[in-house]
Amino acid sequence: MEDPVDEMDPQSHSGLTIKNRRKKFMKRKQLAALAAATVMALSLVGCGGGSSTSTETKAAEAGATTAAAAETDKKADDGELIKKVAHVCQGLGDKSFSDSLEGGMKVLREKGWDCKTVECGDETKADKYEDMMLDVIDEGYHYIVASSTFRDVMLKLAKEYPENQFIIVDDSMDEADIPDNVALIFYAQNEGSYIVGQLAAGMSESGVVAVNVGMDTPVIADFVTGFIDGAQAYDPDIKIVKAAVGSWTDPAKMKELCLTQARDKQADVFYQVAGASGAGLFEACKELGTWAIGVDSDQYAYYKESENPELADIILTSMLKNVGDSVVAFFEKVENGEAEWGKQNSLGLSDNAVGYVDNDFFEATVPEELRAVMTESKEKIASGELKAKSYYDFANEDEYQKLLDSVAFFTKPTYLNSITLLLLSTFLASISFSFVFTSFC
């Protein structure tokens, strides 16, 4: 039996379906309001009767109520765990983040969970994401799992549907702002990126490497920060060009971008953090004869078994973000009653949540000395002896920009360079004047 994967057509949502859903939601709101009024009335009766309850007792009762609510959220009427999970994504087949998370869904299905995957389409269909997510909620899927792309929609629905529980994967926020029915899974992508940054600097012959992303977000900036830190640690003189495609699903634009960076800036090692757009980077590297570094999943293995196996031979390694494994581990905690809601679950190298691919191709291609440097960094970061720079440690966006500027291929002109340019302009102007004057005479 094939895994249930739906690709919803936004146009298929009839007015009747949406009307019924809104009616259902309004009924829930009315019931909630009635319950709140009942509680208020009872509290007033209690006050009129002059009963006294200690602060400690009230706090205990509040804690018990919260715990009971959490249990109700995840249990059916018969007391059994509701094992229905919906994975909402832009689309599968990116050979990266979404496919990795879907791997976790497959494991959960094997463990007896009812998992449904919904492909919503790229960012051009963002205005339809909420309705698509509402559909799976109406179908009875209790747990909604999605990436940070869907963060705003999930936080909104978490307030409107407190009986459901939402897992936002690959995002970070202040825990005080996380609703009680939401859990975040956050990865230390800066740690894994630090190590592949060392690899890029060590494999570059031109002294210029590139890191190209799909879109600029705080999580992506953390990738870039760690990559720059690692590259600079290996070669303080390394130059790094960074660019954003503006989409997670535009491989053609990514390819054009990489070809330009190689031609104009001599970049010869490329790191992609761009979802499905990353395919264009691999195509460009194959055409250029340069090296590539993948992300999230083992992209060498993906391409080796694909219709374009030749693309695998330019992928030195991939910075792993073990999304599927971490989601499976989270739901194991759900089954054991150990899952933490209203919290951010942070995972890094020490949790084996991030890392890099060490396969036969990697060992045959990367010099032993460089591999030893990477291994040492991995061990030191995991033990806490070495701390990779993180975007989240910057006080403001200006500090991040200073880091980008410090490794930019084109440095800002110095005072001496300005004088040189002025003299050159004056000289050329005098030649032009002399030519015009001679011609006139």
Side-chain angles (χ1 to χ4, degrees), residues 35-285:
T38 303
V39 170
M40 183 178 291
L42 289 174
S43 65
L44 289 173
V45 170
C47 290
S51 62
S52 62
T53 307
S54 68
T55 303
E56 291 81 1
T57 303
K58 288 181 179 179
E61 289 175 350
T65 302
T66 302
E71 288 299 312
T72 302
D73 283 343
K74 66 180 182 180
K75 296 292 181 66
D77 292 339
D78 59 4
E80 292 295 315
L81 183 69
I82 300 174
K83 302 180 75 170
K84 293 175 71 68
V85 183
H87 168 207
V88 180
C89 63
Q90 288 188 324
L92 299 179
D94 63 354
K95 300 178 176 62
S96 186
F97 186 93
S98 294
D99 285 354
S100 178
L101 205 162
E102 181 61 17
M105 293 298 105
K106 290 181 179 179
V107 172
L108 289 177
R109 290 182 186 110
E110 292 169 359
K111 291 176 174 288
W113 287 75
D114 176 3
C115 300
K116 177 174 183 173
T117 298
V118 179
E119 298 179 76
C120 296
D122 63 18
E123 51 274 1
T124 63
K125 296 182 175 65
D127 61 333
K128 307 296 182 183
Y129 289 170
E130 182 176 342
D131 278 341
M132 294 180 180
M133 207 168 280
L134 281 167
D135 276 350
V136 293
I137 291 175
D138 286 348
E139 290 171 18
Y141 286 90
H142 180 75
Y143 300 96
I144 312 299
V145 182
S147 72
S148 56
T149 300
F150 299 85
R151 166 180 167 168
D152 292 344
V153 173
M154 294 179 80
L155 291 177
K156 178 178 182 292
L157 293 180
K159 293 179 180 179
E160 296 176 359
Y161 291 83
E163 69 275 19
N164 285 87
Q165 292 174 293
F166 300 79
I167 300 94
I168 305 176
V169 185
D170 203 23
D171 203 359
S172 175
M173 61 186 293
D174 190 329
E175 286 196 347
D177 298 326
I178 303 176
D180 291 338
N181 59 333
V182 174
L184 269 65
I185 300 179
F186 177 70
Y187 305 91
Q189 51 271 322
N190 62 309
E191 295 180 351
S193 292
Y194 178 99
I195 300 173
V196 298
Q198 291 181 315
L199 172 63
M203 294 297 289
S204 176
E205 296 180 4
S206 67
V208 182
V209 300
V211 51
N212 293 329
V213 307
M215 301 180 75
D216 286 310
T217 68
V219 168
I220 297 302
D222 203 37
F223 274 100
V224 175
T225 301
F227 180 78
I228 293 175
D229 192 24
Q232 281 189 311
Y234 189 88
D235 179 3
D237 297 322
I238 195 73
K239 294 300 178 186
I240 301 173
V241 291
K242 177 264 173 187
V245 174
S247 170
W248 302 113
T249 56
D250 195 343
K253 187 174 180 181
M254 173 64 85
K255 181 178 180 179
E256 179 184 352
L257 178 63
C258 295
L259 293 174
T260 300
Q261 291 171 331
R263 182 188 66 237
D264 296 346
K265 301 184 179 180
Q266 292 79 55
D268 62 355
V269 181
F270 295 81
Y271 178 36
Q272 72 92 1
V273 191
S277 294
L281 182 144
F282 300 134
E283 293 172 5
C285 286

Side-chain angles (χ1 to χ4, degrees), residues 392-436:
Y392 296 99
D393 292 333
F394 293 138
N396 51 53
E397 193 68 19
D398 288 342
E399 290 189 7
Y400 175 58
Q401 188 59 50
K402 286 179 182 177
L403 177 68
L404 295 176
D405 292 342
S406 71
V407 292
F409 180 77
F410 292 111
T411 56
K412 295 180 180 179
T414 62
Y415 177 73
L416 182 60
N417 286 340
S418 299
I419 294 295
T420 303
L421 289 172
L422 178 61
L423 292 173
L424 180 59
S425 299
T426 303
F427 175 70
L428 292 174
S430 65
I431 292 176
S432 299
F433 177 78
S434 298
F435 176 76
V436 172

